[in-house]
């Protein structure tokens, strides 16, 4: 008998230390030793109950369920009746016998003298309803779990005070995402104020990101922003997890002191779940340290929300902070962040600032996936301002064309090079660029129309009137509704005026009259055209050549009134 007592004591020691298999072995030997006398033996009541609990902790739920049920039959008046019922309910849940589990948990919600069971019963009942696909009932139980008591502030939606309530609130937030998103955000932000109670901060982070992404997909950027701002960075999670582990270790130390002071070894039973929480927390901490830092991707989300909310400078600050705060971020993340900054800068920054950042990008990521776009931004930045520096633009465009032979923006940069030289009055060079464009890209080029027309104007300004007439006349035939049509027809008036002056005397009058008639047709066709003043001035020149001074004076006054430039 003494040997059996020693085995029982060893079994209890094994159980209290989390050594469940040796505990089961010792308890089973004790019961085997008692044989038929074991059933209903009052002295063996703790052995039977702890054996069932050991089976449960070993995930042998079939054996645990039978052991708890037999325990209740053999010891109907036991003080452990409620605890064994909780054990049975948990076994039913884990064995997916949901109706039985739901019924048992409901009966454990309000046991007189056992308020400690309320939270556990409500949480597990909600879990059973969730797994049983009865989400509405699960929501009702979880709302009851975190419902404020009479001492809470008036109007409060929730009052989370325990780790179990925090877990319930997380589950409830997940349910709210689809049918009550505003409440999901409210509860998510509330949980951030109770972060020390959250057992799995990573799961809460993932939930915040999921809700934020859902809002972003619906273009609810303010709500998405609030969710992203609630996400904790890795260093914060590590610190919180370390604090949680330290607090749990302290709880065990307190219990051990009570055991000695109160001479109450039964308190050791409460250490097992706490030690389980410590082990789980340490395992999670190890996982956190091995996972890639989520910070860069979080910053991307925050920055894009700022951008969508038209707070572009704030978005720039976030991208800049990402590059400074996460120097060990992946090359892909750093390249994407810098390119995103540059893309925004094309809208808000000075050409000098854009140029500087493009230079940084091309130096750090010479083969980056966005190098073509950055090169294009850098080369054409000077053309995006009110008063472009065409010489600086031409120099950069030429450099980029020389150094990015395979750029997908090559055709656009070649056109802009010609355009810059055109505005610099370097018409022969501009014409060379335009001809090169036509040779390489033909009519399929995006700027084919621009190139054709500006090539004609280059010829005109270079004094090659016949070639200019041919090209500009061809443009009018091909692009009757083109973007340069009003200017093209005006240029033809100027060319025809020149032809009239060079004609033999007997043909001059007719040609000048034709210029006057064509100018009136232009004005009738384009009464608000930008070249109206120039057209009237050309008509006045024709009148002067015909010595019709009154008509010329009237046309010059009209030209002055419609003039769009100081020169005219």
């Amino acid at each position: 008998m003494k040997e059996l007592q020693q085995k029982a004591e060893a079994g209890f020691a094994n159980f209290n230390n989390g050594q469940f298999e040796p505990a089961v072995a010792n308890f089973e030997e004790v019961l085997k030793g008692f044989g038929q006398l074991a059933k209903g033996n009052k002295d063996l009541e703790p052995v039977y109950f702890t054996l069932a609990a050991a089976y449960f902790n070993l995930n042998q739920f079939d054996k645990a369920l039978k052991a708890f049920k037999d325990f209740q039959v053999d010891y109907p008046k036991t003080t452990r009746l409620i605890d064994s019922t909780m054990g049975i309910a948990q076994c039913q849940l884990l064995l997916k016998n949901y109706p039985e589990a739901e019924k048992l948990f409901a009966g454990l919600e309000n046991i007189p003298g056992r308020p400690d069971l309320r939270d556990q019963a409500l949480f597990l009942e909600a879990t059973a309803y969730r797994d049983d696909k009865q989400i509405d009932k699960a929501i009702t139980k979880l709302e009851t779990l975190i419902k404020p008591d009479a001492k809470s502030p008036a109007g409060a939606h929730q009052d989370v005070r325990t780790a179990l309530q925090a877990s319930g609130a997380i589950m409830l937030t997940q349910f709210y995402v689809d049918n009550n998103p505003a409440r999901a955000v409210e509860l998510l932000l509330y949980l951030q104020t109770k972060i020390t109670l959250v057992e799995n901060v990573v799961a809460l982070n993932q939930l915040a990101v999921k809700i934020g992404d859902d809002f972003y997909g619906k273009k609810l950027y303010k709500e998405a922003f609030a969710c992203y701002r609630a996400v904790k960075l890795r260093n914060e999670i590590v610190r919180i997890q370390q604090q949680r582990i330290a607090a749990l270790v302290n709880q065990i130390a307190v219990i051990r002191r009570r055991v000695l002071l109160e001479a109450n070894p039964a308190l050791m039973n409460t250490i097992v779940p706490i030690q389980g929480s410590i082990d789980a927390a340490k395992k999670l901490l190890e996982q956190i340290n091995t996972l890639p830092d989520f910070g860069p991707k979080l910053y991307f989300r925050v920055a894009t929300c700022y951008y969508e909310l038209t707070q572009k400078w704030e978005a720039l600050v976030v991208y800049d902070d990402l590059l400074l705060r996460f120097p060990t971020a992946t090359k892909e993340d750093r390249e994407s962040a810098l390119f995103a900054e540059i893309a925004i800068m094309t809208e808000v920054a000075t050409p000098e600032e854009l140029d500087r950042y493009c230079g940084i990008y091309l130096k750090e990521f010479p083969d980056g996936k966005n190098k073509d776009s950055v090169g294009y931004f850098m080369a054409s930045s000077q053309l995006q301002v009110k008063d472009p520096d065409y010489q600086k633009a031409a120099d950069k465009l030429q450099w980029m064309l020389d150094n990015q032979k395979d750029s997908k923006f090559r055709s656009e940069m070649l056109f802009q090079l010609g355009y810059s030289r055109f505005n610099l009055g370097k018409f022969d060079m501009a014409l060379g660029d335009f001809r090169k464009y036509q040779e390489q890209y033909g009519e399929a080029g995006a700027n084919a129309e621009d190139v054709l027309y500006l090539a004609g104007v280059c010829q005109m300004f270079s004094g090659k009137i016949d070639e200019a007439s041919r090209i500009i006349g061809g443009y009018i035939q091909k692009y009757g509704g083109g973007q340069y049509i009003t200017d093209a027809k005006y240029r033809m008036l100027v060319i025809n005026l020149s032809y009239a002056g060079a004609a033999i005397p007997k043909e001059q009058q007719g040609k000048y009259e034709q210029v006057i008639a064509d100018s009136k047709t232009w004005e009738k066709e384009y009464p608000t055209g930008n070249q109206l003043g120039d057209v009237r001035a050309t008509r006045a020149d024709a009148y002067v050549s015909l010595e019709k001074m009154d008509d010329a004076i009237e046309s010059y006054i009209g030209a002055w009134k419609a003039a769009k430039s100081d020169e005219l």
Side-chain angles (χ1 to χ4, degrees), residues 46-250:
V47 172
Y48 273 111
F49 181 83
T50 310
L51 175 62
Y55 282 140
F56 184 89
N57 289 329
L58 287 171
N59 297 331
Q60 298 178 15
F61 304 121
D62 286 326
K63 288 185 176 181
L65 178 62
K66 183 178 185 307
F68 279 129
K69 285 184 173 181
D70 288 345
F71 175 81
Q72 289 190 340
V73 170
D74 293 338
Y75 301 98
K77 296 182 179 181
T78 179
T79 57
R80 296 183 175 89
L81 184 64
I82 301 300
D83 295 308
S84 58
T85 301
M86 174 61 78
I88 292 170
Q90 288 179 281
C91 288
Q92 298 285 25
L93 170 62
L94 293 165
L95 291 170
K96 300 182 180 182
N97 300 322
Y98 301 124
E100 293 86 345
E102 291 155 9
K103 182 178 179 181
L104 289 169
F105 287 131
L108 294 167
E109 288 180 22
N110 297 293
I111 301 296
R114 292 296 305 273
D116 57 304
L117 290 178
R118 174 187 177 274
D119 286 0
Q120 189 178 10
L122 285 169
F123 179 81
L124 293 173
E125 188 177 358
T127 303
Y129 280 127
R130 179 200 65 190
D131 295 347
D132 199 19
K133 311 301 182 187
Q134 299 188 60
I135 303 303
D136 289 344
K137 290 184 178 180
I139 289 174
T140 298
K141 293 300 176 182
L142 293 170
E143 287 175 338
T144 302
L145 173 64
I146 65 170
K147 184 178 180 180
D149 58 25
K151 299 177 182 178
S152 298
H157 288 289
Q158 61 279 314
D159 185 21
V160 174
R161 301 183 183 184
T162 66
L164 195 59
Q165 287 177 328
S167 296
I170 291 174
M171 190 192 302
L172 183 57
T173 303
Q174 291 172 316
F175 291 144
Y176 280 148
V177 169
D178 294 325
N179 58 19
N180 193 348
R183 180 76 174 102
V185 174
E186 179 187 344
L187 192 50
L188 176 68
L189 296 180
Y190 173 77
L191 280 168
Q192 297 299 320
T193 68
K194 302 288 184 176
I195 198 70
T196 56
L197 296 176
V198 176
E199 292 186 340
N200 193 333
V201 183
V202 174
L204 183 60
N205 256 13
Q206 292 171 339
L207 181 60
V209 173
K210 180 182 182 300
I211 299 174
D213 288 350
D214 187 61
F215 279 128
Y216 187 88
K218 296 174 182 176
K219 299 184 178 181
L220 299 172
Y221 303 117
K222 288 184 178 179
E223 291 81 356
F225 181 81
C227 293
Y228 295 146
R229 289 297 300 271
V231 177
K232 301 294 183 186
L233 296 176
R234 182 163 68 179
N235 61 334
E236 295 178 277
I237 297 176
V238 168
R239 177 177 52 80
I240 291 168
Q241 204 68 2
Q242 289 172 338
Q243 290 175 345
R244 176 171 175 75
I245 291 169
L248 291 170
V249 169
N250 185 61

Side-chain angles (χ1 to χ4, degrees), residues 1-13:
M1 188 64 68
K2 184 177 181 181
E3 182 181 349
L4 293 177
Q5 184 178 355
Q6 290 174 342
K7 283 192 173 293
E9 290 173 355
F12 290 124

